[in-house]
Each structure stands twice: as structure tokens, then as C-alpha cells.
Amino acid sequence: MKKLFKIFLAAGICIMTASCGNNDDFTESIFDTTTPVVDPDASTAPFDQWLYENFVVPYNTEIQYKFNLTASNMNFQLAPADYKKSQLLAHYIKYLFYDVYNLYGGEDFMKQYGPRIFHFIGSSAYSPTTGTETQGYASAGVKITLINVNNMKFWKEDSPYTATDMESLNKDQFHVMHHEFSHILHQTKSYPVSFGQVTPGTYAPRDWQERDSVLSHSLGYLTQYGSSANYEDFVETLSCTITDTDVRWMNTIIDACANGGVKDGDKEQIYELIENLGIEDFDNPNKAWNNFKLYEEEEQDENTKLWSATGRKIPSFHVSDAKLNATTTVRYTSVAGTFTSFRNFLDNWVEVNNTEDTAGINAILKKIDIAKKWYTENWGLDMYVIREEVRKRQNNINTYTKDNVTIYDYQ
């Protein structure tokens, strides 16, 4: 096979050389160039033309918003994406994703590294076998499938997006998008081996879904899914940094600090992290992280205790949402502490513990530092700057949508 390849390669060079030596005029194409790229008679022609001009021409990227059975995962019962919501999502992908990386990575960055296909699915992808919901997936670094498009709120001028709506969009779409895009980047330029050595003994490829968020944070992971493998942990670190809200970040920090304590120097780094994340009104007493309680949580099967915070303003941290397996029961026996200030909690309640068993926030800080350096050294990007730009655009989403988005009916 190698010899055949060399023969064909050499023959190709000879043919190209001979062709270059002739001053022949170009002849008419053997392909039909009279057929328009976008069918003007299609009921979706205006939107298809917009996609062609904004994705195909500049990035060679296709938005597959029409249901494609053969490209779907047959393990799930899936539904098509709503036509109008697909248009809205396509606009937001351009504004909140492509335009951001163009701004800081250069106009050729997404042309070279961006996904070649976005595939929209309307419904969720729930697995009754594992009890998990797939939020999206990528194929060979080329295609990103986005699930649950129909769950998007359809923007209207008299019903604009709220912070809660943006949080939902982040969870269902943009966290997944940055997660999968980070896979594309690290498959192009590998991330450091040292990242997987921060928490080498606690990855759980099969049982990660049995961990709730409190346990995951206490082990040094930003998400439950991140604890499934080091490469998922790496891209979750990047995606969470860019897309997680202030409240989610503070919840993560509190959980990670409360369980296992901190090591020398961690407290100073935590405040630096909060500043880098641009968390707004940090000392505002009306913020959720300045008004919370810690409950003692006992896992009877392991006879270990965790501290679980409630009274938060996001439902994922409510006691009733803890996901437990059949062999584990949890009891909330008493209130460990009531806090009206995060500073009081961190400076006076959290213990300094320099033993090898201390993971939690120390591991998270190390992973963020490794990911940030890799992001900058390999791509010339600062993930905190990307986060700030994304947040700024999200805050402007209603003005952008009103002034720049046209939603077409079927024609």
C-alpha cells in the first residue's frame, strides 16, 4: 500500500507539473453551476440563505436544524427542533460564540478550528438505563449535536430574556457548546498530563452519575460529569469558567471549602479567583452566597459526613435534588452554621488542613491554573476575558435580538 501511494503521489506531481507548464485557458466547469446553492422555492429559503451567508461562506459550517434521522442517536427517542427556535439559536451561536472567538482569536481562528456541523435536536435525550440526560455530544471533532432546543424560551419584545432564561440557555446549549469545542481544541493540542494527576484516584467512569454536586465539589471537580474522566474534567473546567453564573461559582466554592477544608494559601487564591471571574457585588448582603446555611449530611454506607448548603437561589442545590444510589441514604441531622457573609464563612469557619487527603478547592484551583495556562500558551486566549465578553453579550441579549434578529415564517 505504501508503494502504491508513492506511485500515485509521484504521478500526481508529474501531472500537476505538466499542467502548470501549459498556458491553457480555463474551460467551463464540468459541474452544474447554474443551480443556486439555496433553493429559492423552499419554504425555509430566507433562513437557509441567512445560514449560507453567516456560516457556510465564512466558516464552511453547516447548521442542520431539520431533523436528520440517520445523523441522530438511535438510543434515544428524539423530536425535531422547532423552526423558529432554531433560527433564534443560530443567531445566538453567531453572537455569543463565533463572534467572541473572532474578537480575541482573530478572524481565522474559527475558520480553522470551529465545528463543521451543528446538529439541532428538539427534545431531551434521557437514558432510563443510567438515569442520566445527555446534554449534547460531538463527533470526531467535526460535529456538535445540541439537545433540547425546544426547551428554549422564544424571545419576544414584550417577553424579553431574563437572567433565569439565560441560565437555562447556558445549561442546555452554551455550556455544552464550549465543552465540545474545548474537546476539539485539546484534540488538536494536547493538555498537560499534570492535569490528570491532580485527582488521579477519584475519577469514576462508570459511577459518576451517582455523585451529587456536593460530593463532586468536595472531591475537586466542578461538575459530576467532570469526575468521569480526566479529559472530561479538563473541558468542564474550561466550559464552567466561561459559562457558569456567579451563583453557581459561589455554590461550588462553598461546597469545596466546607468539605475537607483548605490548604495554606488557598483562601487568598479563592479571593483572587472570585475577582478573576468578575463575580459582581461580592459583598452584597442580598446575594445568595452571603445568606446561606450549612447542614450536616451523613452518608451511612461510608460513615462519612459532608456539609450541604441550602437556602440557595438555584434549585440544583436544594436538599431534595440530591441524587443517591440505592445503597446510600443521607440524613440532614443538624444545622452546622448560618452565614450572612461569605468572608465570615471562609475566614472563620473553614479550617486549614494541609493533609494529603484535602482535595476540594485546592484541586479545583490547581486545575483552573493548568487549564488557563494551556489556553493562553497554545491559543493566545484568556478564559477570563472570554468569560467577561460572553457575560457582556448575554447582558445585552435583548437589545441584540431586537435590533439584529429576524425570525422567518414558512413561506
Side-chain angles (χ1 to χ4, degrees):
M1 290 298 293
K2 290 182 178 178
K3 291 182 179 179
L4 285 174
F5 174 76
K6 291 179 179 178
I7 291 172
F8 284 124
L9 180 60
I13 293 173
C14 291
I15 291 171
M16 286 189 290
T17 304
S19 299
C20 291
N22 298 327
N23 293 320
D24 295 337
D25 293 331
F26 286 108
T27 59
E28 292 185 8
S29 173
I30 63 173
F31 301 103
D32 182 7
T33 59
T34 61
T35 302
V37 176
V38 175
D39 181 3
D41 297 324
S43 61
T44 58
F47 179 45
D48 293 338
Q49 184 65 38
W50 184 88
L51 290 175
Y52 178 74
E53 294 172 357
N54 287 276
F55 285 96
V56 177
V57 172
Y59 307 112
N60 193 28
T61 296
E62 178 185 5
I63 304 289
Q64 294 182 350
Y65 66 93
K66 298 176 182 178
F67 193 71
N68 186 345
L69 179 63
T70 58
S72 303
N73 190 325
M74 299 297 183
N75 294 319
F76 305 113
Q77 292 185 343
L78 303 173
D82 179 85
Y83 178 50
K84 290 188 176 181
K85 290 182 179 179
S86 293
Q87 296 180 57
L88 193 63
L89 180 56
H91 276 277
Y92 290 166
I93 289 174
K94 179 182 182 299
Y95 178 60
L96 298 173
F97 187 69
Y98 276 82
D99 289 354
V100 171
Y101 281 104
N102 284 341
L103 182 62
Y104 293 101
E107 62 179 14
D108 293 330
F109 184 79
M110 294 303 285
K111 293 178 181 179
Q112 185 172 359
Y113 300 111
R116 294 295 169 248
I117 300 173
F118 280 96
H119 181 208
F120 292 177
I121 297 293
S123 58
S124 62
Y126 176 76
S127 171
T129 304
T130 62
T132 60
E133 180 180 354
T134 299
Q135 292 185 316
Y137 48 88
S139 303
V142 173
K143 172 182 171 183
I144 293 178
T145 297
L146 297 176
I147 308 292
N148 225 12
V149 173
N150 294 348
N151 193 48
M152 288 177 57
K153 173 182 174 179
F154 185 69
W155 187 93
K156 295 181 180 178
E157 192 168 350
D158 59 352
S159 180
Y161 266 41
T162 64
T164 301
D165 297 325
M166 284 308 309
E167 168 67 3
S168 178
L169 190 68
N170 270 338
K171 179 179 73 71
D172 287 342
Q173 312 300 339
F174 283 91
H175 178 87
V176 175
M177 203 177 307
H178 285 280
H179 174 108
E180 300 299 351
F181 183 56
S182 296
H183 273 312
I184 293 174
L185 294 181
H186 85 68
Q187 288 164 4
T188 304
K189 297 181 181 180
S190 298
Y191 61 88
V193 175
S194 59
F195 184 91
Q197 295 173 341
V198 177
T199 52
T202 55
Y203 288 107
R206 295 183 179 181
D207 302 324
W208 62 268
Q209 67 272 16
E210 304 297 344
R211 296 170 168 172
D212 64 10
S213 56
V214 177
L215 178 58
S216 300
H217 298 154
S218 72
L219 293 173
Y221 302 103
L222 292 179
T223 66
Q224 295 156 272
Y225 186 56
S227 70
S228 65
N230 62 63
Y231 52 87
E232 299 297 355
D233 191 13
F234 183 76
V235 297
E236 282 291 88
T237 300
L238 290 169
S239 186
C240 286
T241 300
I242 294 170
T243 65
D244 273 9
T245 63
D246 293 356
V247 174
R248 283 191 178 275
W249 261 111
M250 293 304 295
N251 286 342
T252 298
I253 292 169
I254 290 170
D255 287 337
C257 291
N259 297 285
V262 299
K263 293 188 177 182
D264 285 330
D266 283 353
K267 292 184 180 182
E268 291 78 10
Q269 291 186 52
I270 290 167
Y271 287 122
E272 183 179 349
L273 171 63
I274 291 170
E275 181 180 356
N276 288 333
L277 291 169
I279 293 179
E280 299 172 351
D281 298 329
F282 173 67
D283 293 312
N284 187 334
N286 295 321
K287 294 295 184 179
W289 55 81
N290 284 321
N291 184 17
F292 65 95
K293 295 179 180 180
L294 286 180
Y295 285 81
E296 185 178 5
E297 171 187 312
E298 182 176 346
E299 295 189 28
Q300 292 179 330
D301 61 335
E302 298 179 0
N303 197 29
T304 58
K305 295 180 180 179
L306 298 173
W307 301 109
S308 176
T310 62
R312 307 287 183 81
K313 293 185 178 180
I314 60 172
S316 62
F317 276 78
H318 194 274
V319 171
S320 62
D321 291 335
K323 179 174 175 55
L324 307 170
N325 61 35
T327 61
T328 304
T329 57
V330 170
R331 297 182 310 189
Y332 293 89
T333 57
S334 61
V335 176
T338 300
F339 304 94
T340 56
S341 166
F342 173 78
R343 291 185 186 274
N344 176 259
F345 158 76
L346 182 62
D347 295 342
N348 300 308
W349 194 86
V350 178
E351 297 180 354
V352 175
N353 184 350
N354 289 312
T355 66
E356 293 183 1
D357 295 333
T358 302
I361 194 64
N362 184 264
I364 289 173
L365 290 169
K366 288 179 180 178
K367 291 175 182 179
I368 291 173
D369 186 59
I370 293 171
K372 182 181 185 302
K373 289 180 180 178
W374 175 86
Y375 208 53
T376 301
E377 291 174 359
N378 287 279
W379 307 106
L381 299 171
D382 186 323
M383 61 186 189
Y384 294 126
V385 172
I386 298 296
R387 171 184 172 84
E388 182 181 2
E389 183 66 30
V390 168
R391 281 156 50 94
K392 182 176 70 175
R393 289 169 181 255
Q394 288 178 344
N395 291 335
N396 189 53
I397 198 68
N398 290 314
T399 300
Y400 169 81
T401 305
K402 179 181 178 181
D403 295 342
N404 297 277
V405 176
T406 299
I407 301 296
Y408 300 101
D409 292 316
Y410 289 112
Q411 67 174 21

